[in-house]
Amino acid sequence: DLAENVSRQVGLSRFGEDSPREIKQALEDLKQKGAKGIIFDLRSNGGGLLEQSVEIANLFMEKDRLIVYTLGQDLDEKRTYISRDEPIFEDGPLVVLVDDQTASASEMFSVVMKPFNAPRTRSFLVSCRVSMPWMPGMPFCSRYSPRE
């Protein structure tokens, strides 16, 4: 049962300069306290800095995996972000909560945490009252799970 396995919630209102350090510290503290899973609350997170979102994704993904890439107007302007470190929180469920106010870097993080991109996280994505064009098949209050 998910409720028995997920023991702590981490919220983030935006991806700012200090966010990676703060989230890393929170994850380390929760892991030390025996957390078996994480609920990552991105509801009403309007986004923020892409680089900070990438740094936080790096905390969950195994080393040397593609996180995301961006393209400029010129196709030669491709920038690729690869996970650099071993994950801090690699076992147990990760639930990512999003809503109609979740945007920008938060959307990128949510998509990256989908299980086929980060299979070791065993993540769930819970969406309420939002239609996400980047995630077909997720209309209102639905759940994406690797077990379905």
Side-chain angles (χ1 to χ4, degrees):
D1 183 62
L2 182 62
E4 294 172 3
N5 292 324
V6 176
S7 54
R8 299 291 188 261
Q9 181 166 333
V10 176
L12 188 63
S13 60
R14 67 183 215 68
F15 287 90
E17 284 291 329
D18 295 329
S19 297
R21 180 186 50 76
E22 293 168 354
I23 295 298
K24 181 178 181 179
Q25 184 63 52
L27 291 175
E28 288 171 343
D29 291 347
L30 293 173
K31 190 173 181 179
Q32 185 177 18
K33 292 177 182 176
K36 295 179 181 169
I38 299 293
I39 297 173
F40 204 105
D41 191 350
L42 296 178
R43 292 175 294 179
S44 298
N45 182 315
L49 303 170
L50 174 65
E51 289 77 12
Q52 277 33 47
S53 179
V54 167
E55 289 296 317
I56 293 171
N58 189 62
L59 300 174
F60 294 94
M61 297 180 71
E62 61 189 43
K63 188 176 180 178
D64 298 324
R65 296 207 31 113
L66 174 67
I67 296 176
V68 70
Y69 67 88
T70 61
L71 295 174
Q73 288 183 354
D74 181 358
L75 292 180
D76 293 335
E77 295 179 39
K78 182 177 179 180
R79 183 158 185 196
T80 303
Y81 298 89
I82 305 291
S83 56
R84 299 180 318 276
D85 304 310
E86 292 300 325
I88 289 178
F89 199 90
E90 64 183 309
D91 297 319
L94 168 67
V95 176
V96 181
L97 302 176
V98 297
D99 65 9
D100 61 344
Q101 300 298 307
T102 303
S104 183
S106 302
E107 292 174 308
M108 188 285 300
F109 179 86
S110 301
V111 171
V112 167
M113 290 296 104
K114 282 176 56 178
F116 68 85
N117 285 333
R120 294 173 65 186
T121 64
R122 294 180 280 167
S123 62
F124 294 78
L125 180 62
V126 179
S127 165
C128 289
R129 288 188 290 251
V130 60
S131 178
M132 298 180 196
W134 42 262
M135 260 184 123
M138 282 199 59
F140 300 94
C141 283
S142 59
R143 180 185 80 167
Y144 177 84
S145 164
R147 297 184 183 117
E148 292 180 343

